[in-house]
């Protein structure tokens, strides 16, 4: 049976226009009850952005619909199950949570259910990166852990390199994003830990330079611009033209609801050529699903490189922890042929499990990740919050940070079925300018394009994660700094924030803190 995920058939995206408008989208799964014309008419006014900022909108305090959870005041605010989860579902959630927190050990081990770590890895558990299911951070000093942040790496593909199915498909759409391949020595990411007897691949080095930004009203802000390099390389030099891209672990809430948004609703906002002339030209990411064996819409990750929660989870097990699983079955994880000691070392896939985490375990972790609840909004009727909302909308932020959607009707996932949700994202790729560019293409995303991240829960970051670092590499030390780093398609909105009255700027930040 197909999963609830919306699969984009090759024939459905045979024209570039179809990839943008979703006009020929085909849902190939069997678990969705298709929308009727009358239902679409009911949904349209509900999801239309408001023009009234005198009071909160109906249901605005429940950003995840019936799945919303109460807003706790402690660090566990992101670790609650969906508010509408069943008793049986809550049991599966707790089992998945146990696997999410489990510390993996090296092979061979007497704890057969937990062996298979590495040999090269970034963390020993999912929880080590997503502490309290929240946001990772860059190291705050020489002694601070880098465990919630790592470097992706790739090299330009040789001109005669065989094309993958997705690359051939994108070329048929006229897409000319440069092709890449994993680094020949280091694979797709830098693993900075290793088991005894193995060398770590290296250590991420970050150097910052600061620049001051003048704001209206005599205010100023200071931005720190990072540069990245690999120190202590353990397996020789990086490949020619190697591109490094830093990534912090994103927060985990609301993932199942994002997965349940109809692909046609996301594709309807795409405008690759900026046909409407508003300066915003979001593009859908297109990726290959190893689970569905088909081309799909990318939704998850900083460049939307994963189509589903399950594939994002499976890729993290393989790349971050070195744990083989039904989707990525290599017991050596991300190790390359240049790392034969890693490939030939002992692994934990020799028993009845088949892979180091089996299908049941992967499904439980997926269920847990899919059902981490979104906390209720706070202070929605506060005058500053309401004015900040007006500023957010009128400044043009909603051109990318789409406020609302209604999810699919699902026959087997009541928690995510037919909910009015408020993630504040269009889940498309946008050019954010040279300041934020990592200069590393990924799939259809160029070196300056990023997926619009959801904003729900962003105001609870300090409470949950103990810091206020934002953006893909944590360079922004506050929400204001994150806004000021916006360039490219968001440059005009960013300039309006710089120029607006200081009171409006403060209210804008107050509004973001209420999400």
């Amino acid at each position: 049976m197909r999963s609830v995920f919306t699969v984009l058939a090759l024939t459905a995206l045979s024209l570039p226009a179809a990839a943008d408008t979703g006009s020929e989208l085909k849902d190939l799964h069997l678990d969705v009850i298709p929308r009727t014309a009358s239902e679409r008419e009911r949904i349209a006014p509900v999801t239309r952005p408001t023009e009234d900022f005198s009071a909160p909108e109906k249901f605005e305090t429940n950003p995840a619909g019936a799945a919303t959870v109460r807003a706790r005041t402690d660090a566990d605010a992101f670790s609650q199950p969906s508010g509408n989860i069943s008793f049986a579902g809550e049991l599966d959630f707790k089992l998945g949570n146990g696997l999410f927190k489990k510390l993996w050990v090296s092979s061979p081990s007497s704890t057969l259910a937990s062996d298979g770590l590495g040999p090269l890895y970034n963390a020993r558990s999912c929880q080590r990166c997503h502490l309290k299911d929240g946001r990772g951070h860059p190291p705050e000093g020489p002694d601070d852990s880098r465990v919630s942040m790592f470097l992706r790496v790739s090299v330009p593909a040789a001109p005669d390199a065989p094309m993958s199915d997705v690359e051939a498909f994108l070329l048929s759409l006229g897409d000319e994003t440069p092709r890449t391949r994993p680094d020949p020595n280091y694979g797709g990411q830098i693993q900075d830990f290793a088991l005894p007897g193995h060398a770590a691949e290296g250590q991420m080095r970050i150097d910052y330079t600061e620049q001051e930004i003048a704001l209206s009203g005599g205010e100023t802000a200071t931005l720190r611009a990072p540069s990245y390099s690999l120190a202590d390389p353990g397996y020789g030099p990086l490949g020619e033209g190697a591109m490094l891209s830093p990534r912090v672990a994103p927060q985990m809430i609301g993932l199942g609801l994002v997965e349940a948004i109809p692909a046609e609703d996301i594709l309807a906002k795409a405008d690759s050529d900026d046909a409407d002339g508003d300066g915003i030209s979001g593009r859908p990411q297109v990726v290959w699903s190893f689970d569905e064996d088909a081309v799909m819409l990318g939704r998850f990750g900083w460049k939307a490189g994963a189509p589903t929660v399950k594939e994002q989870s499976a890729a993290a097990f393989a790349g971050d922890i070195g744990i083989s699983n039904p989707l990525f079955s290599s017991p050596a994880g991300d190790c390359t042929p240049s790392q034969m000691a890693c490939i030939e070392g002992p692994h934990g896939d020799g028993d009845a499990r088949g892979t180091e985490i089996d299908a049941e375990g992967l499904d439980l972790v997926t269920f847990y990740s899919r059902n981490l609840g979104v906390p209720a909004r706070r202070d929605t009727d506060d005058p500053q919050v309401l004015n900040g909302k007006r500023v957010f909308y009128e400044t043009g932020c909603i051109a990318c940070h789409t406020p609302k959607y209604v999810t699919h009707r699902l026959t087997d996932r009541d928690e995510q079925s037919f909910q009015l949700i408020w993630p504040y994202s269009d889940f498309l790729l946008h050019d954010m300018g040279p300041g934020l560019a990592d200069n590393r293409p990924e799939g259809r995303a160029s070196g300056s394009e990023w997926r619009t991240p959801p904003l729900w829960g962003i105001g609870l970051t300090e409470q949950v994660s103990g810091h206020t670092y934002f953006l893909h590499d944590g360079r922004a030390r506050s929400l204001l700094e994150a806004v000021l780093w916006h360039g490219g398609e968001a440059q005009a909105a960013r300039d309006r924030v710089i120029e607006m009255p200081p009171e409006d700027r403060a209210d804008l930040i107050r509004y973001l803190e209420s999400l």
Side-chain angles (χ1 to χ4, degrees), residues 285-335:
Q285 177 67 287
V286 178
V287 299
W288 183 260
S289 168
F290 295 92
D291 192 26
E292 297 287 349
D293 195 31
V295 172
M296 292 181 65
L297 173 68
R299 300 178 188 236
F300 301 100
W302 288 105
K303 294 208 176 195
T308 66
V309 176
K310 182 177 181 179
E311 294 205 33
Q312 180 81 345
S313 301
F317 268 118
D320 301 352
I321 315 178
I323 297 299
S324 62
N325 57 75
L327 295 188
F328 302 98
S329 58
S330 170
D334 189 43
C335 291

Side-chain angles (χ1 to χ4, degrees), residues 243-247 303 433-442 446-450 472 475:
M243 300 164 280
L244 297 172
S245 179
R247 306 291 171 88
K303 294 208 176 195
L436 282 179
D438 65 350
N439 300 309
R440 176 184 174 271
E442 181 179 322
S446 73
S448 58
E449 286 182 312
W450 300 93
H472 67 279
R475 69 177 68 188

Side-chain angles (χ1 to χ4, degrees), residues 22-83:
S23 59
E24 299 182 32
L25 175 71
K26 294 182 180 179
D27 285 339
L28 300 185
H29 50 265
L30 303 178
D31 311 84
V32 168
I33 300 174
R35 289 180 179 172
T36 63
S38 61
E39 198 165 65
R40 293 173 190 273
E41 291 179 1
R42 288 171 48 209
I43 290 172
V46 171
T47 56
R48 186 175 300 127
T50 186
E51 296 178 355
D52 179 6
F53 305 102
S54 62
E57 295 176 70
K58 192 174 183 180
F59 307 122
E60 189 172 3
T61 56
N62 294 324
T68 304
V69 298
R70 69 181 179 89
R72 298 174 59 126
T73 57
D74 58 17
D76 291 324
F78 287 174
S79 299
Q80 304 173 78
S82 299

Side-chain angles (χ1 to χ4, degrees), residues 6 37 55 58 100 158 188 205 245 251 264 324 346 386 401 440 448:
T6 302
K58 192 174 183 180
F100 193 82
R205 177 175 175 176
S245 179
Q251 64 187 32
E264 62 180 308
S324 62
L386 288 169
H401 290 283
R440 176 184 174 271
S448 58

Side-chain angles (χ1 to χ4, degrees), residues 92-122:
D92 285 343
F93 180 88
K94 290 177 178 178
L95 290 171
N97 187 19
L99 289 170
F100 193 82
K101 292 179 176 179
K102 180 167 76 168
L103 293 174
W104 294 84
V105 299
S106 60
S107 300
S109 169
S110 59
T111 55
L112 295 179
S114 299
D115 68 346
L117 175 68
L120 308 180
Y121 60 98
N122 294 107

